[in-house]
Amino acid sequence: MKVIEHIKQAKDTLISFEVLPPLKGKGIKGIYDNLDPLMEFKPAFINVTYHRSESMFKKKPDGTFEKVEVRKRPGTVGICAAIKFRYKVDAVAHLICGGFNRQETEDALIDLNFLGIDNVLVLRGDAPKNESSFEPEPGGHRYAIELLHQVVNMNNGIYLEDDLKTTVKTDFCIGVAGYPEKHFEAPNMQTDLAYLKAKVEAGADYVVTQMFFDNKKYFDFVATCRNAGINVPIIPGLKPITSRRQLTVLPRTFHVDIPEDLSSEILKCKQDCEVEEIGTQWLLQQSKELKAAGVPVVHYYTLGKPHVIANVVKELV
Ligand SMILES: Cc1cc2nc3c(=O)[nH]c(=O)nc-3n(C[C@H](O)[C@H](O)[C@H](O)COP(=O)(O)OP(=O)(O)OC[C@H]3O[C@@H](n4cnc5c(N)ncnc54)[C@H](O)[C@@H]3O)c2cc1C
């Protein structure tokens, strides 16, 4: 079932989870270990992130170095299929522009369609860690909206080879990303919202937000979106803070603020187990308030912390 159908049919706030593919060389057991303890909460859907390859320098036997492309976390499409098969729950495959050309994207969409996975979250992706700005792959997309056009085209039976006859129309439900604290490259919120609106007008069915730690940012964002004429569901994305290190890593990586009330409590902690307790309580309060406000779904970035998410969700359902 599509995410948008889950939302339309729901009588209460739904729960969803997000997982990362394991590092190459590791098995799928890590995903199951993460998800098994969460399945009792009956998530409406589970997202699986997508990761671009990165350039690395590998030492050759003669002592010189060669540049190689390594995808550290492959397997998104396969994991989506495994989730559907094992848990009978809908999977949402993330698709990114970075590192992919249109042909590779089309192949992934065909695989998803054949597997009966009809939910995608279309994203641009970030620049590789060693590059300062995002550059599309030759023959790839520069912005998420271009990737969205490709998915919408396939939903209309338009494939890259335009001479194909009597093609099958795919039926993807399409989500896009939104940023309550603004995307870090956007010059201002208004411009960022104009591009978000363009994604919705081009066919996005719903928005999932970047993580935030202050619900007011989400509520303000939703109000601004509604004023701007963005009327699709806006799903809040939440993540627990479980270590002191995250106080600097999260703002640096995701360009989000951590409220002073939360950071000051965390700074008093001597060990990360104390931070985890504070992070769990904070996440629970955020979740309760969002649910009370009637948000369609609370989406949890689980990232290897299933017990924290379980402790929160069991107080919520
Ligand atoms: C819910 C969620 C899930 C994510 N999952 C993944 C994942 O699985 N894998 C991954 O690699 N990354 C993921 N990301 C990170 C995401 O790829 C980055 O935040 C990326 O920098 C932007 O992606 P986007 O889809 O928002 O890009 P876009 O919508 O393309 O926007 C990127 C920037 O360009 C601007 N812009 C948009 N359209 C135009 C235009 N037509 N002309 C000029 N400027 C424009 C926007 O204002 C913004 O500043 C996720 C982010 C979120 C919020």
Side-chain angles (χ1 to χ4, degrees), residues 18 49-50 94 96 121-126 143-145 177-179 183-186 192 195 199 208-210 301:
E18 181 165 314
T49 57
Y50 221 120
H94 291 198
I96 57 173
L121 187 70
V122 304
L123 303 141
R124 188 197 67 179
D126 284 319
Y143 295 110
I145 193 168
Y179 301 83
H183 185 261
F184 71 105
E185 290 167 23
D192 207 19
Y195 291 129
K199 288 193 280 190
V208 188
T209 75
Q210 180 60 282
Y301 299 111

Side-chain angles (χ1 to χ4, degrees), residues 237-256:
L238 295 182
K239 179 178 165 60
I241 293 196
T242 54
S243 74
R244 207 175 146 124
R245 217 178 130 250
Q246 285 174 301
L247 283 187
T248 48
V249 172
L250 295 177
R252 190 172 63 229
T253 312
F254 298 105
H255 311 275
V256 293

